[in-house]
Amino acid sequence: MESTIGYLEKIIRIYSKRLETPSDETYDSRPQPDKWSKREILGHLVDSAQNNIRRFIVAQYEDIPNTPYAQDEWVKLAGYRDYPVRDLIALWTGLNKHMVHVLSHMPPGGAQRKCKMGGQPQTLEWVAADYCNHLLHHLHQILDLDPIAYPG
């Protein structure tokens, strides 16, 4: 888990600054009418952080909790279309720093505990590593960087 924590810290350090570069107009652009805008993708990353923090905590006191979430509903109901971008960046940064803190304080053996996210149970270590890959996939979408494949 230590290497994943270090990797997440690096992602936060590098991308929290890069996220401030695009204009509000860029954040409002959509690749297609039925797809999320870059602002909504950033909102989705906020939701993902919240849901994963919950998983890391709940799985410490419940055996294999089932913790799925309806991502499209979360994005729509949170109203990210008109959420101030700078506030979203600050929220994303703060939640990810909090996640680092939660992961760093996981008790011995905690990384091997499991949770379900709608499919087969996964270890928290796997969830944390997958979260980093998910982050990079979407951060590259937001910043128009080379695509990073991520299972959909």
Side-chain angles (χ1 to χ4, degrees):
M1 185 68 86
E2 285 182 32
S3 63
T4 301
I5 292 168
Y7 191 39
L8 180 54
E9 288 174 319
K10 182 178 179 181
I11 292 170
I12 297 164
R13 187 174 56 254
I14 292 170
Y15 289 91
S16 61
K17 291 180 177 79
R18 288 186 182 179
L19 287 170
E20 294 174 1
T21 305
S23 67
D24 280 359
E25 294 77 25
T26 299
Y27 270 100
D28 289 334
S29 71
R30 293 175 178 278
Q32 296 175 3
D34 61 334
K35 298 290 184 182
W36 289 337
S37 67
K38 294 173 187 300
R39 185 186 309 252
E40 290 168 314
I41 293 170
L42 183 56
H44 165 64
L45 292 180
V46 165
D47 297 340
S48 181
Q50 293 180 89
N51 278 276
N52 279 292
I53 290 166
R54 181 177 182 274
R55 290 174 179 133
F56 297 135
I57 292 172
V58 173
Q60 296 305 307
Y61 63 85
E62 285 184 17
D63 289 331
I64 312 178
N66 190 26
T67 59
Y69 85 101
Q71 63 184 19
D72 289 323
E73 293 303 317
W74 276 63
V75 168
K76 183 175 84 179
L77 294 170
Y80 291 127
R81 281 187 178 187
D82 59 353
Y83 206 107
V85 173
R86 300 305 166 237
D87 292 348
L88 272 177
I89 294 167
L91 185 55
W92 177 83
T93 302
L95 283 168
N96 280 283
K97 287 180 177 181
H98 178 59
M99 186 181 301
V100 165
H101 182 82
V102 168
L103 293 173
S104 298
H105 287 82
M106 197 172 280
Q112 297 311 307
R113 293 192 55 90
K114 294 183 176 184
C115 71
K116 285 180 66 176
M117 300 175 289
Q120 292 297 313
Q122 300 292 342
T123 66
L124 296 182
E125 186 170 31
W126 182 93
V127 173
D130 182 68
Y131 175 76
C132 289
N133 293 331
H134 176 254
L135 270 182
L136 287 175
H137 168 74
H138 285 307
L139 289 168
H140 278 233
Q141 284 181 319
I142 292 168
L143 297 169
D144 293 322
L145 300 172
D146 289 337
I148 293 180
Y150 180 77

